[in-house]
């Protein structure tokens, strides 16, 4: 379809195309027996106009780097997105996939999952986070545009969102941040259907959304979501506005077309039922047979999908005209490849530090590592949730701030931890960047579900969580993490690092960068000695755990520790050595990586001598490595407002206390062993 | 001081009184060596006017039920609150406590902690949550006022908050909810000092706050925070407005009085330093000596504290005039005592259910239990974050909805999980209520730090978290909790219940109500059989874990399970019994309560036979009770979009799969035991 042709699609033609989506939504939910047809039916007209006239995309090539991003923040409407992917000809999304909606093993799960379904940009469903990720997408786009030029990068981020996304704190933080940063290529399509799960939004929501978004610095447009000219004008206005993010408040009817259920919460999360489905399809002038789409309707949708063929080609040509170095850099960045010499760089830095032996807090070691890495890796984009000076997330390479005026490399996210995490997910999934961001470890709580999404998407995001224990000191129990290491280690697919010194911190960064998965660093406020003073060729932290102290003879005891407690454990080991015990100390910097090592390696490291674990955090989970909770020196209650030294003393995390407890363990074990030898039986 | 007298305090007199706070803030932070003097110095004039003229409180009796609540949402400014408590004569807060600011064991920790310092209403510090709790306080006040009359309950909630609280998602959700509910007795005192930790708020915050709050339905007032007449008028206007919450945007100077550091982020979280401190005190006309307060200034503050003596007495008299039953009910409610006959009620219900054997999802059992309890306990106040129909949190007693118009017992919190949790904390800490609220277990992530605050404050809040596993089904991995049970069990002081059937659910409620601590219920979407079919006199769940299946002979094996997996474990046990194994099954409904049982009880329940654990969640933490991760049947990766049955099958959580794995364990154990007998040694 040529530009003049598509511009001339009449309102009734667009309605026909929209109704195809409605038909698929009705049928797929009916076939599954469950799902969310209402929002898909409500938003179908918007999609028809957007895809027919405005969206920059290429159905046959959904990975086109310079495509507009479409994010479905109200992810429960997944059938809406799946229908669009199928209709516009995304390879690998077929009608059979629509028919298998919400079934085991299908490409069309209950909520959109990136990596699982071609053309899905991010995993959405937990409300508000799609909006947060869209802010990250728009931020990444603007930065990339400034780096490589608008010829190569100039696309928009369109985010569909419902009332729920706007009510959620993360959505509100994200909206505030987007307004502040004046992300002009971000367009929020608000499906204002006035219905939530519990009924009318009046039950719980009475904001003047237009006034609110104006107050946040947004460009605000309103339109009827079922009047195609209005939709068209609104989308055009959003595109024309390039200095502020745009929100279009689309008045829509949830379940549009369902004769008795439209406009009610009954159509939000349930199938229509066969009678209502049949009546709706008749009212929408759709074929009665399930999943039947008239050829010409499908052909028109496919034409929408092919609408930007010429523009895609023109883009390829512009890309080909880039200077060779720039093109190579762009390709490397978009492929997510690291520079070839990263290993050398890390090794050289390690050699430096093996000499200088920096005795610093690991948050400071993090800054030192970042100083080297951010200088060398232009894809790193940093930030903090208003704790830059505490998290030490700034480096000289990060001196350009991302602001309303310019797209620097450092983002002042404000006191918005959750939006920061969601935005970082969006930045990572956009491509071209490795985002990192800081706050206190205790506030990982605030962004926890976004960290979970990082893990679910295997997004390469680095969370820099400082002040990682009672070592935080006088700010007291509200700010001292206790259960956080355990709770984060429990998230599948997240790598939690707690490095013991500067070199371990560097190794953790090198590992995190190569993982293609999210990493979370727990870093100390307080100083700790340099423990690793040789520039080992091997990245020891990449193993997850290793012997940082090897006994000379047969092991009597193994002490497992992480972070700043490794130094204390080493001191305890020295005390025990003076009493002729052979003590190994394991730095267990990353449990998930250690658990992934071959059994032989793990057995060698853990040894078969009795074990004691030491960590200034909850003992929860440590029994994976030690016999019982009695073999963990830990912090199993909330902390207190006092100096780090006082608290470590109070909780028995000193070399003396560890050594004393280990001695008792060794004596018990000796006594036990002697009983066993006598009776010849244990169980 | 009489009413006419206090009304005539001149601006200069009020400045003098404000400067006393500034002096204490400067000296206390200087003495500690660290802390946050800036906000305290900035807000001192507001406090002087509020306490001198408007606040309804009684310094000598900080527990007066009908006092205005003062919440310091910007809890880092704790010295501000401590100073006010000391100055107004709160018993148990002395000048020595101010001198011990942020020291080990002091009454004046880094952030305010309720229960630790007399007069502190709630624990604050994690930004935004004080604002959330203040919404709960105002909600509780309005409900109590409607229940017992304005003669007995009519007070305001004053919440101090900074930019951070307004940027946080939880603060924004709370503000939106308060506007919707038209909480007219809520007054937000916004310390608009334009400085955050990282520098000027311009770095990250450019909202038009006044316009935004208007859009949320608030009454908006602006004033200079250092001009006493303006402060006075603004506070009076906030008090006069009773149908909308009020926000006063106070333009303030952070560190007011510090000659070179005021108005900068340098005074936010650091001591002034001796020179700046001395210069500030001189500029503020304060005695140079540390902690010195002229007698007449202290006397005036004490007079502020005694200002409402007459009103407090009048209130006592009004309370005494209440009908006897009403007074008894009010006293019971405010003391937090449960009705005497709760035990009988639970027992009778248990007897009913032992007969009817309801085969229901535990979320349904929860609703059945709530139906009984909410009818009987008027202090219960319920709600859901827009999932009432899924969480099954509504009962007939909850038919009155808390809305803009009236104060019913059920709160539609909207899609605002974090604000719901924070508000419930406020409701619980206000007194008179036991709040409960629902969402999906996976969204415990969204409110996690408020759950943590419940635990830190030991607030009696009940979290009803349904859809507690992959049993949620087709909505897929974004909505299926995996790591959540582990991550919540790791929070000190939180009781996580995962009941196995209807009677266990009832017992869990009875236990939770008596705990005076927060409880979190993980409840199933899918149905499960009635397992407990006798009305035992003992509340078995209150023990945390117990033998739900006792073997007849010497135990060969113990299976530990929770929730819906208990029924599956019992089926597996039956299969194993048919092969002549003596199998015990433990329902481990609440780990924290089980761990608190005497060792003899725990040993008896766990037994010394080999153990296998079964839970449709992460294995993380289970090694506390079983030998190794190999002894846990669990879900250690993200789920998928498929039916509950398919997923349970896929993850090996069926009676057959459990029985097979147990058989392998028993065989291994037998083989091992035989080796031990031969060698006579294990380690």
């Amino acid at each position: 379809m040529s530009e003049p042709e598509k511009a001339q699609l009449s309102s009734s033609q667009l309605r026909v195309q929209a109704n195809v989506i409605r038909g698929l939504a009705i049928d797929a939910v009916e076939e599954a027996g469950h799902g969310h047809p209402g929002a898909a039916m409500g938003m179908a007209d918007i999609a028809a106009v957007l895809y027919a006239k405005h969206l920059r995309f290429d159905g046959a090539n959904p990975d086109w780097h310079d495509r507009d991003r479409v994010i479905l923040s109200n992810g429960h409407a997944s059938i809406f997105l799946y229908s669009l992917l199928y209709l516009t000809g995304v390879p690998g999304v077929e009608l059979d996939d629509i028919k298998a909606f919400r079934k085991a093993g299908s490409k069309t799960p209950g909520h959109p999952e990136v990596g699982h379904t071609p053309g899905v940009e991010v995993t959405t469903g937990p409300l508000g986070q799609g909006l947060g990720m869209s802010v990250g997408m728009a931020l990444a786009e603007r930065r990339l545009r400034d780096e490589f030029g608008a010829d190569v990068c100039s696309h928009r981020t369109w985010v569909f969102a419902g009332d729920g996304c706007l009510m959620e704190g993360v959505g509100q933080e994200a909206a505030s941040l987007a307004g502040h940063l004046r992300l002009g290529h971000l367009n929020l399509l608000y499906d204002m259907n006035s219905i939530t799960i519990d009924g009318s939004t009046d039950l719980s929501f009475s904001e003047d959304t237009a006034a609110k978004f104006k107050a946040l610095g947004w460009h605000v447009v309103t339109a009827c979501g079922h009047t195609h000219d209005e939709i068209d004008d609104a989308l055009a206005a959003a595109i024309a506005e390039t200095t502020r993010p745009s929100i279009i408040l689309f008045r829509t009817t949830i379940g549009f077309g369902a004769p008795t259920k439209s406009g009610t919460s009954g159509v939000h999360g349930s199938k229509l039922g066969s009678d209502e489905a049949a009546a709706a399809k008749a009212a929408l002038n759709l074929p009665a047979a399930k999943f039947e789409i008239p050829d010409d309707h499908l052909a028109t949708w496919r034409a929408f999908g092919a609408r930007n063929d010429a523009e895609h080609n023109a883009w390829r040509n512009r890309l080909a005209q880039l200077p060779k170095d720039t093109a190579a850099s762009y390709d490397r960045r978009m492929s997510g490849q690291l520079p070839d010499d990263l290993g050398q760089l890390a090794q050289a830095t390690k050699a430096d530090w093996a000499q200088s032996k920096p005795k610093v807090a690991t948050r400071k070691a993090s800054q030192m590592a970042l100083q080297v890495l951010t200088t060398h890796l232009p894809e790193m984009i940093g930030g903090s949730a208003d704790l830059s000076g505490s998290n030490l997330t700034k480096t000289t390479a990060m001196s350009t701030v991302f602001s309303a005026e310019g797209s620097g490399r450092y983002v002042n996210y404000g006191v918005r931890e959750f939006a920061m995490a969601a935005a970082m997910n969006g930045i990572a999934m956009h491509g071209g960047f490795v985002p990192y961001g800081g706050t206190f470890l205790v506030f990982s709580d605030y962004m926890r579900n976004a960290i979970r999404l990082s893990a679910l998407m295997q997004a390469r995001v680095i969370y820099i969580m400082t002040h990682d224990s009672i070592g935080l000191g006088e700010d007291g129990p509200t700010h001292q993490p206790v259960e956080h290491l355990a709770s984060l280690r429990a998230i599948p697919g997240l790598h939690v690092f707690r490095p013991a010194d500067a070199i371990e911190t560097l190794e953790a960064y090198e590992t995190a960068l190569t993982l293609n998965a999210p990493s979370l660093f727990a870093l100390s406020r307080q100083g700790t000695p340099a423990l690793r003073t040789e520039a080992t060729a091997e990245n020891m932290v990449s193993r997850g755990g290793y012997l940082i102290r090897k006994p000379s003879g047969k092991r009597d005891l193994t002490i497992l520790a992480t972070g700043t407690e490794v130094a204390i454990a080493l001191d305890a080991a020295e005390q025990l050595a003076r009493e002729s015990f052979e003590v190994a100390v394991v730095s267990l910097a990353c449990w998930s990586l250690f658990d992934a090592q071959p059994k032989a390696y793990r057995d060698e490291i853990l040894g078969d001598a009795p074990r004691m674990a030491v960590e200034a955090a909850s003992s929860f989970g440590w029994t994976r490595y030690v016999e019982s909770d009695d073999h963990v020196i830990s912090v199993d209650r909330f902390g207190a407002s006092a100096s780090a030294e006082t608290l470590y003393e109070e909780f028995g995390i000193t070399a003396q206390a560890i050594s004393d407890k280990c001695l008792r363990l060794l004596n018990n074990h000796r006594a036990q062993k002697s009983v066993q030898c006598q009776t010849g039986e244990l169980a």
Side-chain angles (χ1 to χ4, degrees), chain A residues 85-104:
Chain A
L85 296 173
Y86 162 63
L87 292 170
T88 56
V90 170
V93 184
E94 307 300 335
L95 191 58
D96 281 346
D97 298 312
I98 304 291
K99 292 177 184 172
F101 181 51
R102 291 170 71 94
K103 294 206 176 103

Side-chain angles (χ1 to χ4, degrees), chain A residues 350-475:
Chain A
K350 209 191 276 191
D352 275 357
W353 295 3
Q355 288 292 315
S356 62
K357 301 177 182 48
K359 185 182 170 174
V360 294
T362 52
R363 64 173 170 153
K364 179 66 189 170
S366 162
Q367 189 179 40
M368 291 160 56
L370 285 172
Q371 176 63 31
V372 173
L373 294 168
T374 56
T375 304
H376 204 71
L377 274 73
E379 58 263 53
M380 293 186 81
I381 185 161
S384 167
D386 194 45
L387 287 170
S388 298
S390 300
N391 304 141
L392 302 180
T393 34
K394 273 200 170 170
T395 66
T396 51
M398 291 286 155
S399 60
T400 56
V401 167
F402 199 108
S403 70
E405 290 76 35
S407 70
R409 284 180 69 187
Y410 194 82
V411 186
N412 289 303
Y413 288 103
V415 190
R416 304 183 185 98
E417 296 84 6
F418 202 172
M420 173 174 75
M424 289 201 294
N425 280 335
I427 294 169
M429 299 313 292
H430 178 278
F433 297 97
V434 179
Y436 71 83
T439 185
F440 288 162
L441 179 58
V442 80
F443 297 126
S444 62
D445 280 355
Y446 274 55
M447 53 202 215
R448 188 172 167 85
N449 201 263
I451 300 174
R452 184 176 208 255
L453 273 191
S454 306
L456 197 47
M457 299 192 294
Q458 289 293 283
R460 188 167 49 180
V461 171
I462 301 177
Y463 294 96
I464 300 180
M465 310 279 98
T466 68
H467 298 60
D468 69 350
S469 73
I470 48 171
L472 171 143
E474 293 85 356
D475 273 343

Side-chain angles (χ1 to χ4, degrees), chain A residues 132-344:
Chain A
M133 288 189 277
S134 74
V135 171
M137 291 265 178
L139 197 154
E141 186 269 343
R142 197 170 102 193
R143 172 78 195 153
L144 204 66
R145 178 158 28 107
D146 283 0
E147 283 190 87
F148 291 94
D151 277 358
V152 173
C153 177
S154 182
H155 54 265
R156 285 178 184 75
T157 303
W158 302 90
V159 54
F160 288 93
D163 312 292
C165 295
L166 299 198
M167 272 193 254
E168 287 288 4
V170 59
Q172 301 193 58
E173 290 178 10
S176 175
L177 181 62
H180 173 74
L181 296 177
R182 302 181 75 85
L183 297 173
H185 279 203
L186 175 65
N187 297 328
L188 167 52
L189 309 174
Y190 172 27
D191 178 31
M192 196 169 61
N193 61 29
S194 304
I195 291 293
T196 65
I197 297 178
D198 276 353
S200 161
T201 50
D202 292 349
L203 286 173
S204 55
F205 192 57
S206 46
E207 294 181 3
D208 178 343
T209 304
K212 176 176 156 179
F213 273 78
K214 270 178 206 146
L216 302 184
W218 285 57
H219 168 229
V220 178
V221 183
T222 60
C224 168
H226 303 297
T227 304
H228 301 93
D229 288 348
E230 280 196 36
I231 297 170
D232 195 9
D233 290 347
L235 296 175
I239 290 171
E241 168 67 53
T242 58
T243 61
R244 290 175 297 171
S246 293
I247 179 173
I248 310 176
L249 285 72
F250 282 117
R251 291 181 307 277
T252 61
T253 302
I254 193 169
F256 182 93
T260 72
K261 293 189 176 176
S262 69
T264 74
S265 59
V267 78
H268 167 85
S270 310
K271 62 177 182 173
L272 267 58
S274 54
D275 290 351
E276 180 85 359
K281 291 184 72 175
L284 294 167
N285 204 22
L286 289 161
K290 261 190 184 171
F291 300 109
E292 194 177 308
I293 305 171
D295 286 348
D296 55 335
H297 300 175
L298 182 60
T300 302
W301 267 112
R302 290 288 153 95
F304 296 167
R307 193 168 49 78
N308 289 290
D309 274 1
E311 173 50 25
H312 191 173
N313 272 327
W315 176 83
R316 285 193 188 96
N317 290 335
R318 292 198 299 274
L319 193 65
Q321 284 158 25
L322 283 184
K324 205 177 149 193
D325 280 2
T326 310
S329 170
Y330 178 84
D331 287 345
R332 184 185 72 74
R333 292 276 294 275
M334 293 309 292
S335 72
Q337 284 285 316
L338 297 169
D340 291 336
D341 55 355
L342 176 63
Q344 286 165 267

Side-chain angles (χ1 to χ4, degrees), chain A residues 62-63 67 69-71 81-82 85 107 109 111-125 133 137 425-426 428-431 452-460:
Chain A
D63 295 334
R67 69 192 177 278
R69 273 30 172 204
V70 175
I71 314 285
L81 186 56
Y82 301 144
L85 296 173
K107 280 185 190 164
H111 290 85
E113 297 174 32
V114 65
H116 188 91
T117 314
V120 168
E121 300 283 1
V122 288
T123 299
T124 51
M133 288 189 277
M137 291 265 178
N425 280 335
M429 299 313 292
H430 178 278
R452 184 176 208 255
L453 273 191
S454 306
L456 197 47
M457 299 192 294
Q458 289 293 283
R460 188 167 49 180

Side-chain angles (χ1 to χ4, degrees), chain A residues 531-609:
Chain A
L531 306 176
R532 294 269 304 281
T533 50
E534 284 176 40
T536 54
E538 187 175 359
N539 180 325
M540 302 310 296
V541 167
S542 71
R543 293 278 205 155
Y546 67 97
L547 289 170
I548 194 162
R549 182 186 200 279
K550 288 177 195 165
S552 45
K554 184 173 185 301
R555 261 194 242 187
D556 294 309
L557 175 79
T558 302
I559 307 181
L560 312 171
T562 77
T564 41
E565 286 77 77
V566 175
I568 305 173
L570 287 168
D571 286 348
E574 290 308 314
Q575 292 197 19
L576 291 162
R578 284 197 287 278
E579 306 201 26
S580 303
F581 288 101
E582 293 287 351
V583 182
V585 176
V586 175
S587 174
L588 205 57
C590 179
W591 291 19
S592 52
L593 291 178
F594 182 71
D595 293 347
Q597 294 296 310
K599 184 171 184 308
Y601 178 79
R602 283 181 286 135
D603 287 349
E604 179 204 327
I605 299 303
L606 294 175
D608 49 16

